[in-house]
Amino acid sequence: VLGPWTCDPILARALPEVAARLAVARLNRDPTLNQGYWWDAVVLAEACRTPQAVAGLLNAERYAAGLVGPRNPTLVTPMPEAGGVLHAVLSFFRWAHVAVVAAPQDLWREAGQGLARELRARGLPVTVVAVAGAQEEEAREALRRVQRADGVRVVVMCMHSVLLGGEEQRVLLEKAEDMGMADGTYVFIPYDTLTFPLPYHHVPYPVLANNTKLRLAYDAVLTVTVDSPDVTFHEALSQAKEAYEIPAHIDPTQV
């Protein structure tokens, strides 16, 4: 289980060690899934810089049968590809012209560049690929590039969701509200929520309740996320806690 756990505080909250142990324990108990094998998982901390991370990946491939992680299903594909889902949504609404705005970390820069290449390969013109950090001027400049581009309808945000504490997305959306871009002219789509089930049924998000400008800007956000039809992620985690499958001190709402 590979990810930048030590250099990304939001991804660290996924508790990869706990998640891996829970998943493997359930896999080994289910003969319809384990096919007679005994499975094990090792959590590897990916380096924060790409060259070192690639070296670590090559070393891991020597003893791992499969690698999974929050951004890199390298040897297995457990979910629909995020780019393919996004393409289907854009095609359905006939939103052809796309801009991609990424956070400045290597993880997000490369996710944004890869997404742009994939959408272009599928026939969608991605006319802007920009980077915006947590500084207002960076967000303003990225959004100005979007405004100057011809016909852009959708801005895909390759950064942590503001609902999880993503500062870059908060600044970007607030600046979009200031610049009059959240009035329906543009649609803002978070990229990260395509890769996990973000709880959405009757779930309060304090960051929206406590920030009027962000709440107004969020009217322009279209969130596409993995569905969890039986129980929400937090409910499933609570059930695992009650069954003593995960440590008692874990607060599901903080994961």
Side-chain angles (χ1 to χ4, degrees):
V1 182
L2 190 67
W5 316 118
T6 58
C7 50
D8 190 303
I10 292 181
L11 283 179
R13 282 166 39 200
L15 303 184
E17 292 274 5
V18 174
R21 285 199 301 270
L22 177 61
V24 169
R26 291 184 172 183
L27 176 63
N28 286 329
R29 288 202 307 265
D30 190 339
T32 63
L33 293 176
N34 62 41
Q35 298 180 354
Y37 291 97
W38 180 261
W39 294 80
D40 194 13
V42 177
V43 175
L44 303 176
E46 188 176 311
C48 300
R49 304 296 296 175
T50 298
Q52 291 82 6
V54 171
L57 177 65
L58 295 175
N59 290 331
E61 284 188 322
R62 294 173 185 168
Y63 60 85
L67 297 173
V68 295
R71 299 288 176 273
N72 54 312
T74 54
L75 300 182
V76 294
T77 307
M79 298 187 304
E81 191 176 5
V85 174
L86 186 57
H87 177 263
V89 172
L90 296 173
S91 299
F92 178 83
F93 289 107
R94 300 188 179 184
W95 293 332
H97 290 75
V98 180
V100 174
V101 179
Q105 297 82 10
D106 278 6
L107 165 73
W108 293 116
R109 282 177 180 265
E110 287 156 17
Q113 291 164 356
L115 177 64
R117 286 194 298 270
E118 183 173 352
L119 293 179
R120 286 168 180 155
R122 293 172 180 265
L124 296 181
V126 181
T127 52
V128 175
V129 180
V131 173
Q135 300 298 317
E136 288 192 14
E137 186 53 41
E138 294 174 319
R140 183 185 296 110
E141 180 54 34
L143 291 171
R144 281 177 179 158
R145 288 187 58 189
V146 173
Q147 287 178 320
R148 290 195 294 264
D150 184 36
V152 170
R153 185 75 174 89
V154 174
V155 179
V156 181
M157 301 178 291
C158 289
M159 52 187 65
H160 284 302
S161 170
V162 67
L163 301 182
L164 305 180
E167 190 65 9
E168 291 90 352
Q169 192 175 109
R170 179 190 66 78
V171 172
L172 186 73
L173 289 173
E174 288 181 353
K175 190 52 59 180
E177 173 66 20
D178 289 339
M179 296 170 66
M181 298 175 67
D183 61 356
T185 307
Y186 298 93
V187 178
F188 293 82
I189 299 181
Y191 177 77
D192 66 328
T193 61
L194 289 159
T195 65
F196 62 87
L198 181 75
Y200 62 95
H201 283 300
H202 311 295
V203 179
Y205 285 102
V207 67
L208 295 179
N210 300 329
N211 186 328
T212 302
K213 184 186 292 186
L214 180 62
R215 192 163 62 249
L216 291 171
Y218 218 78
D219 281 346
V221 175
L222 171 64
T223 300
V224 184
T225 192
V226 177
D227 195 17
S228 183
D230 298 323
V231 292
T232 69
F233 164 70
H234 291 146
E235 289 169 342
L237 205 56
S238 296
Q239 292 173 5
K241 182 177 177 180
E242 292 169 4
Y244 302 103
E245 293 181 288
I246 62 174
H249 69 272
I250 291 176
D251 179 1
T253 64
Q254 297 301 312
V255 177

